[in-house]
Amino acid sequence: GAGVSQSPSNKVTEKGKDVELRCDPISGHTALYWYRQSLGQGLEFLIYFQGNSAPDKSGLPSDRFSAERTGGSVSTLTIQRTQQEDSAVYLCASSSGLRGNTGELFFGEGSRLTVL
Amino acid sequence: AQSVAQPEDQVNVAEGNPLTVKCTYSVSGNPYLFWYVQYPNRGLQFLLKYITGDNLVKGSYGFEAEFNKSQTSFHLKKPSALVSDSALYFCAVRVLTGGGNKLTFGTGTQLKVEL
């Protein structure tokens, strides 16, 4: 597709369940990012993939959060044993990723997670 | 650490009046600065960026931003606001990391344009 695609757009789950959120970046973009937007909060960086390099996981809030990127394209963010404080909109973005790139990110419309 | 600050949670302005959404930055070296807009239930959309060159940067939807190095500011402006400009606005700075880069965002400013 032409833009960043995320699924599901909405997810309601029970506390303690695991969830998976999917991101399909813009074709050809080597960099992929996950951010979290909580109600009334700004955007919180979670994790960043760049090509075949080790991901930058410095923003993951706990070991319940993990992400992988298969084949340098689609990414899945997994949250294990969900807690109510995990409720947020999870935004995925991609970019051409080169260090010399000016840094503009292209965002998907997000996956809204509600943990009951 | 590279960071940006948006001191106002909300800005209200009447349609047709000029608007300003404030952003200040703290970086080492030359800053790469961005503005994004988020309409309700949508992802973020790129508005404009400052890399180098002219301090006044023009972007989408008639928005512009002024880079001021002495004041470490990058305020977003528009000469005449529209009701349709009502949205959440984020300032961001590029942070170099590993072999690439990422953006660190401010907390956002809700712009409300009223008739």
Side-chain angles (χ1 to χ4, degrees), chain B residues 95-106:
Chain B
V95 176
L96 295 177
T97 175
N101 58 75
K102 62 186 180 186
L103 295 185
T104 294
F105 289 84

Side-chain angles (χ1 to χ4, degrees), chain A residues 3-93:
Chain A
V4 177
S5 178
Q6 292 189 245
S7 62
S9 55
N10 278 286
K11 176 71 176 180
V12 180
T13 190
E14 294 179 348
K15 178 181 174 181
K17 300 284 189 181
D18 297 351
V19 297
E20 289 188 348
L21 307 176
R22 175 189 168 104
C23 173
D24 199 343
I26 292 172
S27 178
H29 278 185
T30 58
L32 186 147
Y33 310 77
W34 285 98
Y35 286 83
R36 177 168 72 173
Q37 184 177 21
S38 303
L39 186 63
Q41 303 293 318
L43 273 75
E44 176 187 6
F45 168 77
L46 297 178
I47 188 169
Y48 158 55
F49 297 90
Q50 171 55 56
N52 295 322
S53 302
D56 176 353
K57 303 179 181 180
S58 60
L60 294 179
S62 77
D63 58 8
R64 296 186 296 106
F65 288 72
S66 63
E68 63 177 19
R69 189 178 185 192
T70 55
S73 181
V74 172
S75 176
T76 301
L77 177 69
T78 301
I79 309 173
Q80 295 179 310
R81 305 181 302 281
T82 52
Q83 303 294 313
Q84 288 182 334
E85 60 263 29
D86 299 334
S87 296
V89 177
Y90 290 82
L91 292 167
C92 177

Side-chain angles (χ1 to χ4, degrees), chain A residues 33 35 37 99 101-102 105, chain B residues 36 38 49 94 98 101 103:
Chain A
Y33 310 77
Y35 286 83
Q37 184 177 21
R99 190 176 176 92
N101 177 262
T102 53
L105 305 186
Chain B
Y36 280 78
Q38 185 179 35
K49 63 185 175 185
R94 188 188 81 159
N101 58 75
L103 295 185

Side-chain angles (χ1 to χ4, degrees), chain B residues 38-82:
Chain B
Q38 185 179 35
Y39 297 101
N41 301 313
R42 303 295 299 275
L44 273 71
Q45 296 179 32
F46 170 78
L47 274 180
L48 52 81
K49 63 185 175 185
Y50 172 81
I51 305 302
T52 186
D54 290 342
N55 290 339
L56 187 63
V57 179
K58 294 188 181 296
S60 307
Y61 312 121
F63 283 92
E64 57 191 27
E66 186 173 9
F67 173 71
N68 187 315
K69 188 172 183 177
S70 63
Q71 298 185 3
T72 62
S73 67
F74 188 57
H75 300 333
L76 182 70
K77 300 182 179 183
K78 188 174 182 180
S80 179
L82 299 172

